């Protein structure tokens, strides 16, 4: 993604909202919620392999292991996001290393299996030779520090946007025999991010039948593991060496963000909006695990959330005991990463749609990267259905040295304008890209200012 790919606010204001214009927080605070108290319809029987810890990977090995990702419907999503901090030690010194990072599919069935991608996006923020591909999520320099830090939110939104844009339909990724493996990875430079988001089905090569939990024989499974290895590693040898080892998450990683999610992958809701009578309306997405809707005295109070905006799952290999057995834990997907919202909008009257990033509660500064947020959304029946916006404070790089210059958080940005009087129906899809923050909001406004 380059600066030209991002929406840029026009200099001159008009009587109608224009794509790219910013909307002040004071105006957005006037909105009433369309999501508050509403219940999402959740598609049953789908699974998601989710891998996000250890996020900053310092050792070779597997980050997440799931022995069977096959679902009741046969649909499996993969979301993996990690940062290459791999090092080698020689003569008492540490050296950072390029890496192979990604996932591996393992065919533990008695069949020849076709791995079929329905949607797929993967990539890295830095090539092995050091070339940086994405740089708009550069962090302000902490006084006294010299190492540049990139948050990965730009790459995360590129991955999500490319996933939305992938309309090629089903295509064969690879065919694997019983016991074989298929590797999906990128070669990543030092201090680079690697991310994958994809939807897969697994088919019996000879019959074309989609594998699901109802037609697998006892003991059959398709496993998935996320991994990091040195760039020159023989991956089959690597698998034999590390298959029973799981890297521990860091002490400062408060949530157990890995495992198999089996509830909440795709959510649907239908909402109505009339720009002539409804004024400004908001929809809140991706509320965190600790978001509470009912008690303002509780931390994380978020009254505008959907009543069931969470994902659920379990990790059989949260850790490996001293006896070599897996010890389990519940998945804590703090932000519902990888989950998608499919919103049917019945809109009447000329309407503008705006996105607003995370706005924390309380006084004082927010996290530094909240002043430079990226969001991605898809809306059908529009000339450019997939849009990524960047909402950045003009004084973002003054965060540490002169934070008083920063404006208040909560600005929105117009992402679509729908200048029609008649009622029409749109289908909006949105999700939280890796390394972004939830909750965030969509606003529906009358197109006339």
């Amino acid at each position: 993604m380059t600066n030209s790919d991002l929406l840029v606010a026009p200099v001159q204001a008009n009587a109608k909202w224009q794509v790219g214009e910013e909307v002040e927080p004071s105006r957005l605070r006037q909105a009433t919620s369309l999501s508050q108290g509403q219940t999402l319809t959740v598609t049953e029987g789908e699974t998601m392999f989710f891998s996000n810890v250890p996020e900053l990977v310092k050792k070779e090995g597997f980050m997440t292991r799931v022995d069977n990702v096959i679902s009741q419907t046969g649909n499996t999503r993969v979301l993996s996001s990690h940062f290459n901090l791999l090092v080698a030690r020689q003569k008492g010194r540490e050296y950072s290393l390029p890496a192979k990072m990604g996932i591996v599919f393992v065919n533990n069935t008695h069949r020849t299996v076709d791995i079929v991608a329905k949607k797929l996006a993967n990539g890295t923020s830095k090539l092995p030779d050091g070339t940086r591909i994405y740089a708009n999520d550069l962090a302000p320099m902490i006084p006294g520090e010299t190492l540049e830090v990139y948050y990965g939110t730009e790459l995360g939104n590129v991955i999500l946007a490319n996933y939305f844009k992938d309309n090629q339909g089903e295509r064969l990724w690879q065919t694997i025999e019983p016991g074989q493996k298929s590797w999906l990875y990128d070669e990543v430079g030092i201090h680079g991010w690697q991310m994958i988001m994809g939807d897969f089905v697994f088919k019996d090569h000879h019959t074309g039948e989609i594998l699901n939990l109802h037609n697998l024989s006892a003991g059959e499974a398709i496993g998935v593991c996320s991994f990091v290895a040195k760039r020159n590693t023989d991956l089959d040898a690597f698998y034999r060496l590390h298959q029973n080892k799981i890297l521990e998450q860091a002490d400062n990683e408060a949530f157990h963000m890995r495992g198999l999610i089996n509830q909440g992958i795709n959510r649907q809701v239908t909402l109505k909006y009339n720009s002539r009578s409804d004024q400004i309306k908001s929809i809140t997405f991706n509320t965190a695990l600790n978001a509470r809707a009912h008690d303002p005295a509780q931390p994380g109070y978020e009254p505008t959330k959907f009543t069931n905006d969470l994902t659920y799952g379990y990790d059989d290999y949260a850790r490996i005991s001293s006896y070599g057995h897996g010890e389990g834990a519940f998945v804590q997907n703090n932000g519902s990463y990888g989950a998608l919202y499919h919103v049917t909008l019945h809109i009447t009257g000329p309407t503008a749609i705006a996105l607003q990033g995370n706005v924390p509660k309380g006084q004082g500064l927010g996290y530094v990267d909240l002043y430079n947020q990226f969001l991605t959304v898809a809306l059908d029946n529009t000339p450019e259905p997939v849009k990524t916006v960047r909402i950045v404070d003009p004084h973002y790089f003054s965060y540490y040295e002169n934070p008083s210059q920063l404006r208040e958080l909560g600005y929105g940005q117009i992402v679509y304008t729908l200048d029609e009087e008649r009622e029409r129906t749109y289908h909006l899809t949105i999700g939280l890209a890796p390394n972004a923050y939830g909750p965030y909001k969509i606003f529906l406004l009358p197109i006339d200012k």
Side-chain angles (χ1 to χ4, degrees):
M1 180 186 302
T2 65
N3 283 320
S4 61
D5 295 321
L6 299 168
L7 303 179
V8 179
V11 175
Q12 184 175 357
N14 298 298
K16 298 179 182 293
W17 288 112
Q18 302 296 313
V19 170
E21 280 192 279
E22 287 192 330
V23 188
E24 294 183 352
S26 59
R27 186 186 292 261
L28 297 180
R29 283 193 290 266
Q30 301 171 19
T32 55
S33 176
L34 289 173
S35 50
Q36 182 168 345
Q38 295 291 320
T39 299
L40 296 159
T41 299
V42 177
T43 302
E44 301 291 341
E46 300 179 330
T47 62
M48 181 173 75
F49 173 88
F50 177 50
S51 184
N52 191 227
V53 294
E55 188 173 35
L56 312 181
V57 192
K58 300 179 180 180
K59 299 178 181 179
E60 284 191 292
F62 291 107
M63 289 80 79
T64 304
R65 171 179 169 181
V66 173
D67 287 341
N68 192 14
V69 297
I70 298 296
S71 68
Q72 293 179 12
T73 63
N75 293 315
T76 298
R77 182 168 297 156
V78 169
L79 182 70
S80 179
S81 173
H82 296 277
F83 185 76
N84 174 25
L85 275 182
L86 198 61
V87 295
R89 292 173 178 82
Q90 186 176 8
K91 296 180 180 180
R93 297 182 62 186
E94 287 189 349
Y95 299 87
S96 297
L97 298 173
K100 292 176 180 175
M101 300 181 74
I103 60 173
V104 56
F105 299 96
V106 185
N107 182 5
N108 288 321
T109 76
H110 60 260
R111 319 161 191 245
T112 302
V113 172
D114 290 337
I115 302 172
V116 177
K118 300 169 72 175
K119 280 182 172 290
L120 178 59
N122 62 284
T124 176
S125 64
K126 199 173 185 183
L127 299 179
D129 65 4
T131 301
R132 183 168 298 283
I133 306 172
Y134 305 108
N136 285 317
D137 56 3
L138 173 66
M141 192 70 72
I142 299 175
E145 295 289 330
T146 58
L147 182 65
E148 291 184 336
V149 173
Y150 296 82
Y151 289 113
T153 46
E154 184 177 14
L155 173 63
N157 279 271
V158 169
I159 296 297
L160 184 58
N162 287 342
Y163 169 92
F164 284 151
K165 294 174 183 177
D166 184 357
N167 297 316
Q168 301 177 61
E170 292 189 357
R171 67 272 191 196
L172 180 65
W173 169 255
Q174 195 167 348
T175 299
I176 49 178
E177 301 296 332
Q180 284 189 335
K181 295 172 287 295
S182 173
W183 301 85
L184 169 57
Y185 63 88
D186 292 286
E187 294 191 348
V188 185
I190 62 174
H191 301 167
W193 292 92
Q194 194 273 340
M195 300 178 188
I196 299 171
M197 185 167 178
D199 288 351
F200 296 89
V201 293
F202 306 91
K203 295 184 178 182
D204 186 304
H205 178 71
H206 298 292
T207 68
E209 182 180 36
I210 295 176
L211 302 184
N212 59 53
L213 291 181
H214 307 294
N215 59 25
L216 285 180
S217 301
E220 285 192 306
I222 300 292
V224 177
C225 298
S226 56
F227 74 95
V228 59
K230 296 174 184 176
R231 188 185 177 199
N232 60 355
T233 296
D234 177 283
L235 291 179
D236 287 330
F238 169 85
Y239 185 86
R240 291 192 295 271
L241 179 64
H242 293 281
Q243 62 179 309
N244 292 318
K245 303 174 185 177
I246 300 296
L247 297 175
E248 295 183 2
Q249 64 185 84
D251 293 338
N252 63 346
E253 292 178 315
F255 297 100
H256 191 77
M257 305 271 286
R258 66 183 180 193
L260 183 70
I261 293 174
N262 50 34
Q263 182 72 11
I265 310 308
N266 287 297
R267 305 103 177 269
Q268 297 84 31
V269 69
T270 298
L271 301 169
K272 292 184 178 181
Y273 177 73
N274 188 321
S275 66
R276 296 307 186 199
S277 58
D278 291 342
Q279 298 305 307
I280 304 178
K281 295 290 185 180
S282 68
I283 313 169
T284 301
F285 298 97
N286 285 101
T287 47
L289 282 173
N290 61 352
R292 295 170 172 84
H294 305 299
D295 187 354
Q298 293 294 319
Y301 174 60
E302 183 49 74
T304 66
K305 66 178 285 188
F306 290 101
T307 61
N308 59 337
D309 194 357
L310 287 176
T311 58
Y312 300 94
Y314 199 76
D315 178 14
D316 289 327
Y317 294 94
R319 59 195 63 84
I320 302 294
S321 71
S322 58
Y323 299 100
H325 302 299
E327 296 180 352
F330 287 101
V331 179
Q332 296 173 294
N333 189 350
N334 190 38
S336 296
Y337 295 97
L340 294 180
Y341 301 81
H342 304 275
V343 184
T344 299
L345 291 172
H346 298 299
I347 292 178
T348 302
T351 298
I353 300 178
L355 294 180
Q356 180 195 56
N358 180 271
V359 183
K361 305 296 189 295
Q363 303 297 317
L365 289 175
Y367 296 127
V368 55
D369 43 338
L370 292 181
Y371 296 87
N372 183 31
Q373 298 189 57
F374 298 79
L375 291 166
T376 298
V377 65
L379 186 73
D380 68 356
N381 300 324
T382 55
E384 298 179 56
V386 181
K387 297 284 187 70
T388 294
V389 303
R390 179 187 182 190
I391 304 173
V392 58
D393 191 292
H395 301 288
Y396 169 57
F397 288 102
S398 299
Y399 181 88
Y400 294 108
E401 295 184 342
N402 195 356
S404 63
Q405 292 188 9
L406 296 169
R407 64 186 183 182
E408 67 173 313
L409 289 168
Y411 277 79
Q413 189 175 129
I414 302 295
V415 65
Y416 298 108
T417 54
L418 311 171
D419 198 358
E420 293 186 41
E421 291 286 349
R422 63 182 178 86
E423 180 180 343
R424 64 276 191 211
T425 299
Y426 292 92
H427 299 283
L428 179 148
T429 307
I430 195 167
L432 191 63
N435 293 16
Y437 289 92
Y440 56 93
K441 294 184 179 182
I442 277 185
F443 290 86
L444 304 174
L445 304 84
I447 202 169
D448 294 324
K449 292 183 178 180

